[in-house]
Amino acid sequence: MPQSQARSLVHPGGPRWLVQNPGMQTWSSHSPSSTPGSGRGKHRPRATVHREEDSEERNQGLVGAVEKGTIQHFLRLAQQGTEEKERERALVSLRRGLQHPETQQTFIWLEGSMRTLVGLLTSNQALLQLEAARCLHELSHSEQSAVAEACLPATSYLLTYLSGHSSDFISPHLTVLEALGYALSQLLQVKEAPEMIIPSVLGSTLPEHILRLLQPGPKLNLGVAVEFAWCLHYIICSQVDNTLLISHGGLSTLGLLLLDMAGAVQRTEDTGLELLACPVLRCLSNLLTEAAMEVVGGQNQLEDERVVAALFILLQFFLQKQPSLLPEGLWLLNNLTANSPSFCTSLLSMDLIEPLLQLLPVSNVVSILVLTVLCNVAEKGPAYCQRLWPGPLLSCLIGTLAFPDIEVVGQSLELLQLLFLYQPEAAKDFLQQSGVQVLERHQEEAQLQDRVRALQQTALHQ
């Protein structure tokens, strides 16, 4: 029997640039030796929330910390001001003050402050909504956990507001929606979220609205889609009820968006879609790990060849423009092929093994993921190994056996073991190309020596 089995990999549920979510199986997406930053996403890069400050504000620069009385004055003006411009200026001043930790602490302890802010958020005036959303944004990504947690009571109001705009969900102001999406994504990362926030989100109509915002087409707004794709990522990583998202067509929507992104990068180089690619790839990867996916018809929501073709278009784009996203795409390819012979067949029938092998030199983590995908294919049996073997695979594997990284070598050994088992001719070719001598380099390495001996025995007795 083969020593390895195809396996889906669960992506961590931490911040946008990857923090391990305790209790979840993970696979580093930077390098085998790197340790992702701690925390839960309070400092992930902001690429899309716009701050259209007027010239007066830009000239003034940052204000200092704001005292209790001044905060009360700003809130009173924002609520009761006679002119909309006056109310807006009050919120702008408050928001600038909330960039300071001292003002944040004062604000959250001020009775009725959060209720007032939420009330302004749900007003029917777009500019006031925008500034109230920006104020909530400043609070929700505070470095102080007490400040971010003070935003929790606002979540139910935020959900009510977002869920209550089904017929006109992307107006009157896209920037408001974008800022709200960012604020919600921050709230979804607090440690209480799986118990206090995400069940409410899943119990509302918001998941359907989020999926609607991610539907490809002329109405898709990149900034809004990026923020709500991250929201969806954090919801999925909580594992509260992912079958609900699948039953709402989550895989289908994300699969169509993947196809749309691939088409967009073919049409133009400067799309900005790499900002959207990371959360979409992670969402798809993690939904594919659901044990109950087939029960709710999830597997049928993705079309094999189109998805695989789109993913390889994106991998080529990442290779040229954004190499740091290659592991995200390969992670998805691994989860597609782990338990699906049809996706493995697509990989072979579309002659995509050689383009996959061309990614091996990029980095150790990319090499490991490429080799894992190939193990998934080989594990499916003799017919798959017979189609894998012709071509440059053997010379590539002899090359990866010379890598200094133990994980890369270990994964290469697993792949060779599967090939020797199902395709005996591979062992003969390996011996003819001095493969045994390459293996001897690793005989003294404690983590590899048992597998090296086993592979030597298999090769010599085929």
Side-chain angles (χ1 to χ4, degrees), residues 66-69 71 101-110 113:
V66 179
E67 296 180 351
K68 177 181 176 181
I71 293 174
E102 299 90 338
T103 309
Q104 293 169 358
Q105 287 284 352
T106 304
F107 183 88
I108 65 170
W109 289 110
L110 189 61
S113 59

Side-chain angles (χ1 to χ4, degrees), residues 10-13 21 24 188 198 202 211 214 229-243 245-246 250-251 254 279-280 282-290:
V10 178
H11 213 297
N21 192 18
M24 298 181 72
L188 290 170
I198 291 172
L202 292 172
L211 291 173
L214 296 176
W230 282 112
C231 289
L232 189 61
H233 167 64
Y234 298 128
I235 293 168
I236 291 169
C237 284
S238 74
Q239 297 183 301
V240 172
D241 189 0
N242 286 341
T243 55
L245 297 172
I246 295 171
L251 279 169
L254 292 165
V280 169
R282 291 188 182 186
C283 286
L284 276 168
S285 296
N286 282 342
L287 283 181
L288 286 166
T289 66
E290 287 300 312

Side-chain angles (χ1 to χ4, degrees), residues 132-404:
R134 286 171 168 170
C135 288
L136 184 60
H137 160 231
E138 296 293 350
L139 291 166
S140 65
H141 81 289
S142 170
E143 295 179 16
Q144 305 170 86
S145 59
V147 174
E149 289 167 14
C151 296
L152 289 176
T155 306
S156 61
Y157 297 100
L158 186 59
L159 294 180
T160 300
Y161 171 71
L162 289 172
S163 299
H165 288 66
S166 56
S167 62
D168 196 24
F169 195 58
I170 57 170
S171 58
H173 207 304
L174 287 169
T175 314
V176 175
L177 197 54
E178 187 178 338
L180 291 177
Y182 182 75
L184 180 61
S185 75
Q186 296 300 109
L187 292 172
L188 290 170
Q189 295 176 77
V190 300
K191 62 179 182 292
E192 299 88 355
E195 293 78 29
M196 296 180 64
I197 298 177
I198 291 172
S200 298
V201 171
L202 292 172
S204 71
T205 58
L206 189 55
E208 295 168 77
H209 294 324
I210 289 176
L211 291 173
R212 192 174 302 138
L213 289 172
L214 296 176
Q215 288 178 348
K219 290 186 178 180
L220 180 76
N221 178 272
L222 181 60
V224 172
V226 167
E227 297 308 330
F228 282 95
W230 282 112
C231 289
L232 189 61
H233 167 64
Y234 298 128
I235 293 168
I236 291 169
C237 284
S238 74
Q239 297 183 301
V240 172
D241 189 0
N242 286 341
T243 55
L244 176 69
L245 297 172
I246 295 171
S247 67
H248 281 318
L251 279 169
S252 176
T253 299
L254 292 165
L256 289 173
L257 186 53
L258 188 77
L259 300 181
D260 192 66
M261 289 191 294
V265 299
Q266 284 184 304
R267 290 190 297 271
T268 175
E269 293 185 359
D270 187 23
T271 62
L273 282 176
E274 66 274 10
L275 299 172
L276 184 57
C278 185
V280 169
L281 291 168
R282 291 188 182 186
C283 286
L284 276 168
S285 296
N286 282 342
L287 283 181
L288 286 166
T289 66
E290 287 300 312
M293 185 179 67
E294 292 188 16
V295 176
V296 293
Q299 191 66 50
N300 295 328
Q301 293 182 23
L302 294 176
E303 295 184 45
D304 302 347
E305 291 204 353
R306 292 181 68 201
V307 168
V308 171
L311 187 51
F312 268 81
I313 290 168
L314 290 172
L315 287 173
Q316 290 300 314
F317 174 75
F318 297 155
L319 181 62
Q320 300 298 322
K321 302 292 182 182
Q322 198 77 33
S324 63
L325 288 177
L326 279 171
E328 307 289 349
L330 290 168
W331 199 309
L332 174 56
L333 186 60
N334 175 78
N335 286 4
L336 287 169
T337 55
N339 300 304
S340 172
S342 61
F343 277 112
C344 294
T345 300
S346 296
L347 205 60
L348 293 167
S349 64
M350 298 173 72
D351 295 324
L352 293 172
I353 299 303
E354 191 164 345
L356 197 58
L357 292 173
Q358 290 170 359
L359 299 177
L360 284 170
V362 173
S363 68
N364 287 337
V365 69
V366 166
S367 296
I368 293 166
L369 286 166
V370 167
L371 292 166
T372 305
V373 169
L374 293 171
C375 282
N376 289 346
V377 178
E379 182 267 342
K380 301 301 184 290
Y384 290 84
C385 288
Q386 189 174 11
R387 297 180 66 182
L388 262 183
W389 189 245
L393 182 57
L394 177 59
S395 59
C396 286
L397 286 175
I398 290 177
T400 57
L401 286 174
F403 278 30

Side-chain angles (χ1 to χ4, degrees), residues 41-113:
K42 304 303 178 186
H43 302 293
R44 57 176 170 76
R46 286 298 303 131
T48 56
V49 165
H50 306 294
R51 287 189 172 175
E52 297 160 349
E53 300 166 321
D54 57 32
S55 57
E56 180 183 354
E57 183 178 355
R58 286 196 298 270
N59 291 335
Q60 287 176 351
L62 289 175
V63 299
V66 179
E67 296 180 351
K68 177 181 176 181
T70 308
I71 293 174
Q72 290 174 318
H73 174 67
F74 288 153
L75 288 173
R76 193 159 47 246
L77 274 179
Q79 264 191 312
Q80 303 169 10
T82 56
E83 297 180 3
E84 184 178 356
K85 198 66 179 175
E86 180 185 37
R87 299 172 69 187
E88 182 192 348
R89 279 198 297 267
L91 281 176
V92 168
S93 299
L94 175 63
R95 187 252 298 165
R96 294 175 68 217
L98 288 172
Q99 294 169 16
H100 294 265
E102 299 90 338
T103 309
Q104 293 169 358
Q105 287 284 352
T106 304
F107 183 88
I108 65 170
W109 289 110
L110 189 61
E111 186 177 355
S113 59

